Amino acid sequence: MAEDSKVRDALQSTLNEIGKGLDALQKDAARSGLTETIPLEILRKDFISVVSLIYNYSTRLWIAIGKQPPTPSAALPTLKDLSQHVSTLYGCALAFRDVHGKSFMSEARRSAVDILVALQPLLQEYMAGKSSDNTMRKTAAIHESCDKARNLSLDAREAVCKEWKVDNETLKDAMKEVNEMLNPERPGHDEEISDGWDELLDGEAAHEVELTEKDRAAIKKVTVVLERLVSYRKQIQKTVLSPAAQVEIDVTTYDQILELSREFIPIVDDIVGCLDLPVELDELKQLVEALGRSLRKLHNAIPRAPTNVSVQMDRLDLSDHSKPDQPLSGIDVLQSKLDDILASMQAI
């Protein structure tokens, strides 16, 4: 009984440490005692190492008190170490600074929060004296969070690329929605419906606003704008965000490009919303103009200085007079794609 009481105290102590960590991470508190910026490579290695330890110790804890019969004596040192690893985890996450990249810092801190949030209910289950299948599932949830955290980006560029791809999917969803406006279909409407829903659906259809040629033309033009916008973003990813980027770029600029690119995401959402019939052309034009201004801001933030490799390749190309038609540089292609978007906006 005395040993069980000690285990409960150790569980509560670890839960308290988790609470401290979540509070600090959610408040974005600075880690006390840190007076210098630790190199990214060292911090990342330490972060992944402590994540692996939490993975292993959560398994040990399940073997000690989740599996039947429990062995409380084995749980005490495990909980003591686990509490220390929790402290190290959130301390390490808080040590990431803006200088490492805002997107990278956010990814690391989100990963730490996910692990602590997964760990908390497991310890609460043990506090309640529960075991077996339920605690096994909660242990597996911790393992899943740890596996995700161990795939932490290598640097600011990779962290921004992950967020960039998420935003790409948002734009693709917007394009899909606009395309469906041009080709509205009710799946299964032609099939025989025997439960009375056909009458209701036909009644609703009678009140739908017809798609006029003017509306169709406006929606088609928006489709062109969105298609070219997606193409422009792909070119940014290739020219600026890829490992083989053609321009010199620093950590701050990576974050700036991501932030500026996200400014026009809600504008695109508003444009799609504006296409509800009947299309309000004046409002649509105002939103398209706002999108154009946002795109220009993003474009102007993109560095123009080529990398050393790009400069050397350009020199080689210039020395080869047998190639009169040199391909456009990535930046030139970007400018061309931006011009295409702006031209398609003018047509609305």
Side-chain angles (χ1 to χ4, degrees), residues 104-253:
F104 186 96
M105 180 178 68
S106 296
E107 182 186 343
R109 294 185 181 183
R110 279 196 310 270
S111 297
V113 167
D114 288 346
I115 291 171
L116 297 184
V117 166
L119 189 55
Q120 201 169 37
L122 175 66
L123 300 192
Q124 289 167 344
E125 288 280 298
Y126 289 141
M127 284 284 286
K130 297 179 181 179
S131 58
S132 195
D133 291 347
N134 209 28
T135 53
M136 184 185 290
R137 283 193 295 271
K138 292 188 185 309
T139 302
I142 295 168
H143 290 174
E144 186 178 344
S145 295
C146 289
D147 285 337
K148 185 179 177 182
R150 285 190 287 201
N151 285 321
L152 184 67
S153 297
L154 289 171
D155 51 26
R157 183 201 64 79
E158 188 173 325
V160 166
C161 280
K162 286 181 182 178
E163 297 297 317
W164 192 267
K165 289 175 182 177
V166 171
D167 293 343
N168 282 346
E169 292 305 311
T170 301
L171 286 176
K172 287 178 183 177
D173 289 342
M175 284 182 59
K176 181 180 177 182
E177 190 174 343
V178 173
N179 284 324
E180 287 173 352
M181 291 177 186
L182 291 172
N183 304 289
E185 292 182 3
R186 253 197 317 272
H189 185 58
D190 294 333
E191 299 175 3
E192 193 68 29
I193 304 175
S194 59
D195 58 2
W197 280 100
D198 52 343
E199 295 177 9
L200 178 60
L201 290 174
D202 288 339
E204 289 179 352
H207 293 89
E208 288 179 0
V209 180
E210 290 293 330
L211 184 65
T212 66
E213 285 305 313
K214 187 176 181 181
D215 292 334
R216 183 178 291 277
I219 294 171
K220 282 183 177 180
K221 289 172 182 177
V222 169
T223 302
V224 173
V225 170
L226 293 181
E227 286 173 349
R228 291 180 176 180
L229 179 58
V230 169
S231 177
Y232 177 72
R233 284 176 58 87
K234 284 182 179 177
Q235 187 63 39
I236 291 178
Q237 194 168 339
K238 178 181 177 182
T239 305
V240 181
L241 302 180
S242 75
Q246 299 176 22
V247 293
E248 291 287 356
I249 186 167
D250 57 27
V251 169
T252 303
T253 307

Side-chain angles (χ1 to χ4, degrees), residues 212-322:
T212 66
E213 285 305 313
K214 187 176 181 181
D215 292 334
R216 183 178 291 277
I219 294 171
K220 282 183 177 180
K221 289 172 182 177
V222 169
T223 302
V224 173
V225 170
L226 293 181
E227 286 173 349
R228 291 180 176 180
L229 179 58
V230 169
S231 177
Y232 177 72
R233 284 176 58 87
K234 284 182 179 177
Q235 187 63 39
I236 291 178
Q237 194 168 339
K238 178 181 177 182
T239 305
V240 181
L241 302 180
S242 75
Q246 299 176 22
V247 293
E248 291 287 356
I249 186 167
D250 57 27
V251 169
T252 303
T253 307
Y254 279 127
D255 288 323
Q256 184 185 19
I257 288 173
L258 179 64
E259 288 168 6
L260 289 173
S261 75
R262 284 184 160 168
E263 284 186 7
F264 62 70
I265 299 293
I267 301 176
V268 169
D269 289 339
D270 289 341
I271 288 173
V272 174
C274 185
L275 297 178
D276 288 340
L277 301 180
V279 176
E280 295 290 341
L281 277 178
D282 289 340
E283 183 182 354
L284 177 60
K285 287 178 180 179
Q286 289 177 5
L287 289 168
V288 167
E289 287 172 4
L291 178 60
R293 290 192 295 272
S294 181
L295 279 170
R296 289 187 184 93
K297 278 174 64 179
L298 170 62
H299 192 78
N300 291 336
I302 295 172
R304 300 298 191 270
T307 61
N308 291 333
V309 173
S310 297
V311 170
Q312 291 170 9
M313 292 301 296
D314 288 344
R315 287 172 179 169
L316 286 173
D317 288 340
L318 289 171
S319 64
D320 187 352
H321 300 293
S322 64

Side-chain angles (χ1 to χ4, degrees), residues 20 44 97 222 263 299 329 335:
K20 282 172 58 180
R44 183 179 180 277
R97 306 287 179 81
V222 169
E263 284 186 7
H299 192 78
S329 70
Q335 182 63 58

Side-chain angles (χ1 to χ4, degrees), residues 1-8:
M1 292 294 291
E3 209 163 45
D4 289 343
S5 178
K6 289 180 180 179
V7 169
R8 287 178 62 82

